[in-house]
Amino acid sequence: MNDFSLTVSDVMTKKLFNSAQLIGGAKGQLNVIKWVHIVESMEAAKLLKGNELILTTGIHLKDNNEGFKQFIHQLIASKAAGLCIELGSSIQKIPNFIQQMATDYQFPLIIFQKEVAFVEITQDIHSMLINQQYGMIKNLEDYAQQLNKYTLTVNNYEQILMHLYKHLRLQVIFTFNGQKPIFIPNIYQDKYEMMHQANPDYVEKHFIHCDVNIFNQYYGEVCLFSPERVINEYDALILDRTVIALSQYLLRELYAEEKKGMEDREILEKWLNGIATTEELTHFMQDHHASSTSNHWLVMIHQIQKSKSSDVTYYKLFARNVLEKFGFYPFILEKNQQLIFILANLREQETYKLRIQQAIAQIHDNNMKYKYADLNILFAVGKYVTHLQAVKNSYTTAKDTLEIRWKSQELSYFYEDLHLHHLILQLQKNPSIMDMVAEYIYPLIEYDLKHNSKLVETLKVYLQTNGLKKETSERLFIVRQTLYHRLEKIEQLLGHDFMKPEKRLALELMLVANEWSLGVQQQ
């Protein structure tokens, strides 16, 4: 008998089972018993919770083969541990097809050859179960205390997993951040891989897993696998305690890594400014166990508006975990209320935008759900580059993208989606060009202000519809005659040739620049 589980095989060795005989389902003898019930009706089987050992005289099964078959099916579906039948006045013999059914489903079928006291069996087994519960609680408390002390002295998470293995003597498998599973010890890897193709009932009995979560984010999972015996409740509880301790250890490691990141500030700033050498960067990657061969990079800026209570360190750790989950290796620099993420893309280039969007959505959702920090965050992503030394270019374009999104936050996060706005931004940096823009469409703006008209809006829609008057009037919700009057006034103010290609292109650009400037003023 396992110290903290009672199986069918265990009770078969007890004195009260001296007259018992296992006539079917021998392969299910490792089924765990959590309680004992006496059942003498077909309906009672529907109320079972699982892992009960059923005792019956079979009075409800007498001369009822079909009912007998249905009863066995109900017990199997309810995940009962086994069935004990007292042979006597109600049932003298178990039909062969019932014995075969029990064997097929690995469901232990036990008969008593003579009359037994069900009350005594119930009391005996329940006493063992209660004593096991007391012992299990004490062992859990002792294990948790030992583990908490142990985690303060370990150097890596594998030592915690080895501690789990030594306590339970079960195969431990740890999977994290999408990497290959780690087996401790590495003795059942072949059987573990075969298990995924096994019968689901076998998997449920011999395999259990528990998620490792950090900041409410999935980080990995720890699994227990036992090809020899059934996983029991004590195993599950010990696994749960270990995963909690493992999560706390990994969190401390992340904080330590974040502290080390502060020491990396100098090289990161040199990298962003384009003055770090390839040799310096290669050594830096190696120190961080990152891939120095990655040729795909982008810079992502998180502009943070925070209150006094905001925990930026917490946010950095959380954002790092999310970005790693979506296939990016981050280097983080905190500067002027900005978190600058230099991201190595570890997956295909074609999906990087989608993965960035998914990461941002997850960060937003977590903020809304858990209120982990009083932060208002604005995101901007620079140009995707394919060389270490080109990260400076990605950083420059990320800063420009941030400036654009600061003015119009509904715009895309990505530099590549904002070419027109980047062009306007560069124009705005040249006062003489912007003065020229203002002069070109100033007559329309002045007329609208003086007469409360909508010539600027009309011109914008007219250009968008490629000069189609019917579509323009419909989109503006005005009659055709009103549109003709407005177009005539626009022609008077801008000249009759305003629809020529070169003038039209300039007008479209200036209208966007004017609209953007108005948006900034309104903010």
Side-chain angles (χ1 to χ4, degrees), residues 303-315:
Q303 179 71 45
I304 297 178
Q305 296 172 292
K306 62 177 182 176
S307 71
K308 294 180 181 179
S309 62
S310 298
D311 187 349
V312 177
T313 300
Y314 187 109
Y315 174 80

PDB file of all heavy atoms in Angstrom, residues 303-315:
ATOM      1  N   GLN A 303       5.951  54.099 -23.955  1.00  0.00           N
ATOM      2  CA  GLN A 303       5.932  55.399 -23.280  1.00  0.00           C
ATOM      3  C   GLN A 303       4.986  55.292 -22.091  1.00  0.00           C
ATOM      4  O   GLN A 303       3.804  54.996 -22.248  1.00  0.00           O
ATOM      5  CB  GLN A 303       5.472  56.502 -24.228  1.00  0.00           C
ATOM      6  CG  GLN A 303       5.389  57.883 -23.601  1.00  0.00           C
ATOM      7  CD  GLN A 303       6.762  58.469 -23.302  1.00  0.00           C
ATOM      8  OE1 GLN A 303       7.654  58.402 -24.137  1.00  0.00           O
ATOM      9  NE2 GLN A 303       6.926  59.032 -22.118  1.00  0.00           N
ATOM     10  N   ILE A 304       5.490  55.540 -20.884  1.00  0.00           N
ATOM     11  CA  ILE A 304       4.716  55.297 -19.670  1.00  0.00           C
ATOM     12  C   ILE A 304       4.370  56.610 -18.985  1.00  0.00           C
ATOM     13  O   ILE A 304       5.244  57.421 -18.681  1.00  0.00           O
ATOM     14  CB  ILE A 304       5.497  54.392 -18.697  1.00  0.00           C
ATOM     15  CG1 ILE A 304       5.720  53.020 -19.344  1.00  0.00           C
ATOM     16  CG2 ILE A 304       4.760  54.246 -17.373  1.00  0.00           C
ATOM     17  CD1 ILE A 304       6.512  52.067 -18.495  1.00  0.00           C
ATOM     18  N   GLN A 305       3.076  56.790 -18.769  1.00  0.00           N
ATOM     19  CA  GLN A 305       2.597  57.874 -17.924  1.00  0.00           C
ATOM     20  C   GLN A 305       2.165  57.220 -16.623  1.00  0.00           C
ATOM     21  O   GLN A 305       1.214  56.439 -16.610  1.00  0.00           O
ATOM     22  CB  GLN A 305       1.431  58.610 -18.586  1.00  0.00           C
ATOM     23  CG  GLN A 305       1.814  59.298 -19.881  1.00  0.00           C
ATOM     24  CD  GLN A 305       0.595  59.848 -20.581  1.00  0.00           C
ATOM     25  OE1 GLN A 305      -0.254  59.110 -21.068  1.00  0.00           O
ATOM     26  NE2 GLN A 305       0.496  61.169 -20.624  1.00  0.00           N
ATOM     27  N   LYS A 306       2.826  57.496 -15.547  1.00  0.00           N
ATOM     28  CA  LYS A 306       2.594  56.741 -14.319  1.00  0.00           C
ATOM     29  C   LYS A 306       2.221  57.646 -13.154  1.00  0.00           C
ATOM     30  O   LYS A 306       2.543  58.829 -13.122  1.00  0.00           O
ATOM     31  CB  LYS A 306       3.839  55.940 -13.961  1.00  0.00           C
ATOM     32  CG  LYS A 306       5.084  56.789 -13.687  1.00  0.00           C
ATOM     33  CD  LYS A 306       6.254  55.925 -13.265  1.00  0.00           C
ATOM     34  CE  LYS A 306       7.464  56.792 -12.954  1.00  0.00           C
ATOM     35  NZ  LYS A 306       8.592  56.007 -12.441  1.00  0.00           N
ATOM     36  N   SER A 307       1.547  57.037 -12.201  1.00  0.00           N
ATOM     37  CA  SER A 307       1.282  57.717 -10.936  1.00  0.00           C
ATOM     38  C   SER A 307       2.348  57.300  -9.933  1.00  0.00           C
ATOM     39  O   SER A 307       3.189  56.460 -10.218  1.00  0.00           O
ATOM     40  CB  SER A 307      -0.106  57.325 -10.412  1.00  0.00           C
ATOM     41  OG  SER A 307      -0.094  55.982  -9.970  1.00  0.00           O
ATOM     42  N   LYS A 308       2.300  57.856  -8.740  1.00  0.00           N
ATOM     43  CA  LYS A 308       3.315  57.555  -7.736  1.00  0.00           C
ATOM     44  C   LYS A 308       3.292  56.092  -7.325  1.00  0.00           C
ATOM     45  O   LYS A 308       4.298  55.552  -6.885  1.00  0.00           O
ATOM     46  CB  LYS A 308       3.114  58.452  -6.509  1.00  0.00           C
ATOM     47  CG  LYS A 308       3.358  59.930  -6.791  1.00  0.00           C
ATOM     48  CD  LYS A 308       3.146  60.769  -5.540  1.00  0.00           C
ATOM     49  CE  LYS A 308       3.377  62.237  -5.831  1.00  0.00           C
ATOM     50  NZ  LYS A 308       3.141  63.083  -4.633  1.00  0.00           N
ATOM     51  N   SER A 309       2.127  55.440  -7.462  1.00  0.00           N
ATOM     52  CA  SER A 309       1.997  54.059  -6.992  1.00  0.00           C
ATOM     53  C   SER A 309       2.395  53.033  -8.044  1.00  0.00           C
ATOM     54  O   SER A 309       2.357  51.840  -7.794  1.00  0.00           O
ATOM     55  CB  SER A 309       0.549  53.787  -6.559  1.00  0.00           C
ATOM     56  OG  SER A 309      -0.324  53.939  -7.671  1.00  0.00           O
ATOM     57  N   SER A 310       2.752  53.489  -9.231  1.00  0.00           N
ATOM     58  CA  SER A 310       3.033  52.554 -10.313  1.00  0.00           C
ATOM     59  C   SER A 310       4.297  51.743 -10.050  1.00  0.00           C
ATOM     60  O   SER A 310       5.302  52.269  -9.581  1.00  0.00           O
ATOM     61  CB  SER A 310       3.200  53.316 -11.631  1.00  0.00           C
ATOM     62  OG  SER A 310       2.000  53.977 -11.955  1.00  0.00           O
ATOM     63  N   ASP A 311       4.238  50.465 -10.375  1.00  0.00           N
ATOM     64  CA  ASP A 311       5.383  49.564 -10.228  1.00  0.00           C
ATOM     65  C   ASP A 311       5.928  49.259 -11.614  1.00  0.00           C
ATOM     66  O   ASP A 311       5.483  48.333 -12.277  1.00  0.00           O
ATOM     67  CB  ASP A 311       4.944  48.283  -9.510  1.00  0.00           C
ATOM     68  CG  ASP A 311       6.139  47.387  -9.186  1.00  0.00           C
ATOM     69  OD1 ASP A 311       7.242  47.671  -9.693  1.00  0.00           O
ATOM     70  OD2 ASP A 311       5.963  46.420  -8.441  1.00  0.00           O
ATOM     71  N   VAL A 312       6.891  50.060 -12.059  1.00  0.00           N
ATOM     72  CA  VAL A 312       7.428  49.890 -13.401  1.00  0.00           C
ATOM     73  C   VAL A 312       8.234  48.604 -13.505  1.00  0.00           C
ATOM     74  O   VAL A 312       8.228  47.936 -14.539  1.00  0.00           O
ATOM     75  CB  VAL A 312       8.290  51.114 -13.803  1.00  0.00           C
ATOM     76  CG1 VAL A 312       8.913  50.906 -15.175  1.00  0.00           C
ATOM     77  CG2 VAL A 312       7.436  52.373 -13.805  1.00  0.00           C
ATOM     78  N   THR A 313       8.916  48.233 -12.418  1.00  0.00           N
ATOM     79  CA  THR A 313       9.691  46.989 -12.429  1.00  0.00           C
ATOM     80  C   THR A 313       8.774  45.802 -12.670  1.00  0.00           C
ATOM     81  O   THR A 313       9.077  44.903 -13.460  1.00  0.00           O
ATOM     82  CB  THR A 313      10.453  46.805 -11.102  1.00  0.00           C
ATOM     83  OG1 THR A 313      11.343  47.900 -10.932  1.00  0.00           O
ATOM     84  CG2 THR A 313      11.235  45.509 -11.103  1.00  0.00           C
ATOM     85  N   TYR A 314       7.649  45.790 -11.987  1.00  0.00           N
ATOM     86  CA  TYR A 314       6.644  44.731 -12.193  1.00  0.00           C
ATOM     87  C   TYR A 314       6.221  44.704 -13.659  1.00  0.00           C
ATOM     88  O   TYR A 314       6.133  43.645 -14.288  1.00  0.00           O
ATOM     89  CB  TYR A 314       5.449  45.001 -11.277  1.00  0.00           C
ATOM     90  CG  TYR A 314       4.396  43.922 -11.255  1.00  0.00           C
ATOM     91  CD1 TYR A 314       4.224  43.120 -10.143  1.00  0.00           C
ATOM     92  CD2 TYR A 314       3.550  43.723 -12.347  1.00  0.00           C
ATOM     93  CE1 TYR A 314       3.249  42.138 -10.116  1.00  0.00           C
ATOM     94  CE2 TYR A 314       2.583  42.744 -12.326  1.00  0.00           C
ATOM     95  CZ  TYR A 314       2.429  41.956 -11.208  1.00  0.00           C
ATOM     96  OH  TYR A 314       1.466  40.992 -11.197  1.00  0.00           O
ATOM     97  N   TYR A 315       5.944  45.885 -14.196  1.00  0.00           N
ATOM     98  CA  TYR A 315       5.493  45.957 -15.584  1.00  0.00           C
ATOM     99  C   TYR A 315       6.564  45.442 -16.540  1.00  0.00           C
ATOM    100  O   TYR A 315       6.268  44.719 -17.500  1.00  0.00           O
ATOM    101  CB  TYR A 315       5.119  47.394 -15.948  1.00  0.00           C
ATOM    102  CG  TYR A 315       4.773  47.543 -17.409  1.00  0.00           C
ATOM    103  CD1 TYR A 315       3.518  47.186 -17.886  1.00  0.00           C
ATOM    104  CD2 TYR A 315       5.714  47.994 -18.327  1.00  0.00           C
ATOM    105  CE1 TYR A 315       3.206  47.291 -19.229  1.00  0.00           C
ATOM    106  CE2 TYR A 315       5.412  48.103 -19.671  1.00  0.00           C
ATOM    107  CZ  TYR A 315       4.157  47.746 -20.109  1.00  0.00           C
ATOM    108  OH  TYR A 315       3.861  47.839 -21.446  1.00  0.00           O
TER     109      TYR A 315
END
